[in-house]
């Protein structure tokens, strides 16, 4: 059965002359660097939520040792989260052609018989299944999430989190096993000519005797070549470049957003005027009505060491007003350019309830009654930063209902969902 040329288990079934150790190794080394950066920036994104501060910040429960806490997320530079999450999302999209080309280049190995030649080989095949399945799962769910296609059987956060650990564990095991072979294959081809114009013959491109696992990549009867390996790499690189150019604008914001053709937030800024910039959810979607936010009804409740105060919007406007130029960044990959926010410093509100020195953590609650992140906790360093505001205005105009009227949180370098809109209550104290 293994030798039947019409079955994928037969080496003769796979006829492309492009496949071989060198071509696969080049793609593998690109993914080695790229996926490592993706994993690190993913962990950084997790840290940005300050998950150890309060359960409401953590959307991935029951993580055990996988949920180790990294550090208190800083408030500077103000573009920090926009950068790290922009790298994560843009790089993930850019690597899609490389990942698909790599899977295409090694697909004969997935059908190789016997399934296991030894215990070590069996473990390698299992790690390969986890690697391929985990990679497809992580890239697919990530792309769907930034396209706002929530078709997951559950919350995106735990699915992507746990999937990332499974995938990266298999990735590390595979890299340890295969990285030396990949480096040798690239060096060997470099000595012979780094970018052959035409695929070599099966004999010329056969693996060295020390690389028996690579024999299933080279076709014993390759078809005549129709493209060079340089052309194949150029096609993959061109696809990645195209995806980069049509995605990166959603993380840069401003005029570059118009280039983000593949992003749901990549069109021109919604509406016009000072409030004409991206939002993640509308007031209507959040169930916020004019009756909830009318000046005669809405009061901000501030609780702390010395008790509770209730402030109308008019009373907030009589407090010292401050301005900050800050962006909004999102785990879905879109960011705004810097906007001018004006309102009351969080540290000044903490002072109203007994915290005249360094303010403590704060628990923020929204008028929004349902949905994730209607509540959020901010660390003391975020509360104390003079740029952290309970914003009442943006770009010289009152906040629109969709941007959080009558008041919203704006904190430097924090994920967008931590900048709670339609704020109803602030509770200061150690959380």
């Amino acid at each position: 059965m293994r030798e039947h040329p019409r079955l994928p288990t037969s080496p003769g079934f796979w006829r492309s002359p492009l496949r071989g150790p060198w071509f696969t190794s080049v793609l593998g080394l690109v993914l080695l660097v790229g996926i490592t950066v993706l994993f690190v920036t993913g962990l950084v994104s997790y840290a940005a939520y300050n998950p150890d501060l309060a359960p409401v910040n953590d959307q991935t429960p029951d993580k055990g040792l996988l949920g180790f806490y990294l550090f208190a997320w800083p408030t500077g530079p103000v573009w920090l989260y926009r950068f790290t999450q922009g790298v994560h999302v843009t790089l993930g999209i850019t690597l899609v052609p490389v990942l698909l080309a790599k899977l295409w280049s090694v697909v004969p190995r997935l059908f190789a018989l016997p399934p296991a030649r030894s215990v070590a080989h069996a473990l390698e095949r299992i790690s390969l299944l986890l690697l391929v399945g985990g990679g497809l799962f992580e890239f697919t769910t990530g792309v769907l999430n930034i396209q706002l296609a929530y078709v997951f059987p559950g919350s995106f956060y735990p699915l992507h989190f746990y999937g990332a650990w499974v995938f990266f564990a298999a990735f590390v095991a595979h890299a340890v096993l295969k990285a030396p072979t990949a480096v040798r294959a690239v060096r060997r081809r470099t000595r012979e000519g780094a970018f052959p114009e035409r695929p070599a013959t099966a004999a010329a491109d056969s693996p060295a005797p020390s690389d028996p696992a690579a024999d299933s990549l080279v076709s014993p009867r390759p078809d005549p070549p129709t493209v060079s390996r340089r052309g194949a790499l150029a096609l993959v690189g061109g696809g990645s470049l195209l995806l980069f150019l049509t995605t990166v604008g959603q993380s840069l914001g401003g005029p570059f957003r118009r280039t983000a053709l593949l992003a749901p937030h990549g069109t021109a800024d919604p509406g016009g005027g000072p409030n004409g910039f991206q939002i993640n959810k509308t007031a209507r979607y959040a169930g916020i009505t004019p009756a909830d936010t009318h000046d005669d009804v809405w009061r901000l409740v501030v609780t702390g060491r010395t008790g509770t105060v209730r402030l109308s919007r008019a009373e907030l406007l009589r407090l010292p007003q401050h301005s900050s130029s800050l962006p909004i960044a999102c785990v879905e990959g879109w960011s705004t350019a810097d906007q001018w926010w004006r309102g009351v410093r969080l540290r000044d509100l903490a002072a109203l309830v007994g915290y005249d020195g360094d303010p403590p953590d704060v628990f923020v609650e929204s008028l929004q009654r349902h949905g994730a992140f209607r509540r959020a906790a901010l660390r003391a360093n975020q509360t104390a930063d003079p740029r952290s505001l309970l914003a009442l205005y943006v770009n010289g105009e009152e906040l629109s209902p969709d941007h959080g009227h009558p008041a919203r949180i704006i904190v430097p370098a924090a994920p967008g969902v931590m900048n709670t809109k339609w704020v109803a209550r602030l509770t200061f104290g150690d959380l």
Side-chain angles (χ1 to χ4, degrees):
M1 181 179 293
R2 182 177 184 274
E3 301 302 325
H4 197 296
R6 293 186 178 181
L7 295 176
T9 54
S10 169
F13 180 85
W14 308 100
R15 304 292 298 274
S16 174
L18 291 177
R19 290 190 179 93
W22 176 82
F23 185 72
T24 295
S25 297
V26 171
L27 297 172
L29 291 175
V30 172
L31 290 174
L32 176 64
V33 176
I35 288 176
T36 301
V37 173
L38 285 179
F39 186 72
V40 170
T41 52
L43 282 183
V44 166
S45 179
Y46 167 69
Y49 286 78
N50 286 317
D52 198 39
L53 178 60
V56 297
N57 284 12
D58 195 348
Q59 298 296 306
T60 50
D62 302 322
K63 297 182 301 299
L65 292 177
L66 297 183
F68 65 90
Y69 188 62
L70 300 176
F71 49 83
W73 187 251
T75 57
V78 297
W79 44 261
L80 179 61
Y81 190 74
R82 181 170 66 176
F83 173 76
T84 59
Q85 198 58 26
V87 169
H88 185 78
V89 171
T90 304
L91 180 60
I93 295 294
T94 301
L95 286 178
V96 167
V98 183
L99 176 69
L100 295 178
K102 178 66 160 58
L103 293 177
W104 173 86
S105 73
V106 299
V107 68
R109 190 174 294 167
L110 299 179
F111 294 92
L113 295 177
R117 296 191 293 267
S118 63
V119 173
H121 184 242
L123 293 175
E124 179 187 342
R125 293 296 293 272
I126 292 173
S127 71
L128 191 62
L129 290 176
L130 292 175
L131 179 71
V132 173
L136 290 174
F137 178 82
E138 284 299 288
F139 277 81
T140 300
T141 55
V143 170
L144 289 175
N145 184 59
I146 65 173
Q147 293 298 323
L148 309 183
Y150 302 115
V151 295
F152 320 108
S155 171
F156 166 78
Y157 297 97
L159 289 174
H160 204 66
F161 179 86
Y162 290 122
W165 278 106
V166 172
F167 168 56
F168 196 71
F171 177 77
V172 170
H174 187 75
V176 169
L177 290 170
K178 295 300 182 182
T181 301
V183 171
R184 284 196 303 270
V186 172
R187 286 179 174 175
R188 175 174 175 239
R189 181 58 65 188
T190 299
R191 289 194 298 268
E192 299 172 2
F195 294 99
E197 287 296 332
R198 291 289 175 185
T201 64
D205 201 37
S206 294
S210 60
D211 295 336
D215 56 3
S216 58
L217 296 179
V218 182
S219 174
R221 296 188 299 275
D223 287 331
T226 57
V227 65
S228 67
R229 288 198 174 95
R230 175 185 293 180
L233 286 178
L235 180 63
V236 175
S240 291
L241 179 61
L242 179 62
L243 289 177
F244 173 83
L245 294 176
T246 53
T247 302
V248 68
Q250 68 176 339
S251 296
L252 294 176
F256 298 100
R257 189 179 307 282
R258 297 177 183 274
T259 67
L261 302 178
L262 300 181
H265 293 287
T267 56
D269 291 339
N275 280 274
F277 56 94
Q278 276 65 31
I279 55 173
N280 63 338
K281 68 180 76 170
T282 64
R284 180 179 179 182
Y285 176 87
I288 306 299
T289 66
D292 298 318
T293 59
H294 194 277
D295 289 348
D296 294 337
V297 176
W298 180 84
R299 295 294 184 270
L300 174 70
V301 180
V302 185
T303 301
R305 179 188 295 158
T306 58
T308 298
V309 297
R310 296 170 61 87
L311 300 168
S312 67
R313 198 169 190 278
E315 290 170 322
L316 285 170
L317 289 171
R318 287 196 288 269
L319 295 175
Q321 302 291 300
H322 298 272
S323 296
S324 298
S325 178
L326 300 174
I328 298 177
C330 183
V331 72
E332 292 161 352
W334 60 270
S335 295
T336 73
D338 289 357
Q339 313 294 328
W340 274 103
W341 308 89
R342 187 166 179 80
V344 183
R345 286 175 174 170
L346 293 183
R347 62 188 304 164
D348 293 342
L349 291 169
L352 294 178
V353 288
Y355 299 99
D356 295 321
D358 291 334
D361 309 328
V362 62
F363 185 61
V364 185
E365 298 175 78
S366 173
L367 290 172
Q368 182 181 346
R369 297 173 182 83
H370 305 285
F373 297 108
R374 64 186 183 276
R375 301 173 294 173
L378 300 175
R379 281 203 174 274
N381 67 313
Q382 296 173 311
T383 307
D385 193 294
R387 296 165 296 186
S388 297
L389 302 176
L390 179 74
L392 308 173
Y393 289 86
V394 63
N395 300 323
E397 186 175 282
E398 282 192 12
L399 294 168
S400 70
D402 288 343
H403 281 296
H405 179 83
R408 69 169 296 162
I409 297 292
I410 186 71
V411 174
V417 292
M418 307 301 289
N419 294 302
T420 308
K421 298 192 288 188
W422 313 294
V423 175
R425 180 183 291 270
L426 300 174
T427 304
F428 290 93
D430 295 333
L431 301 179

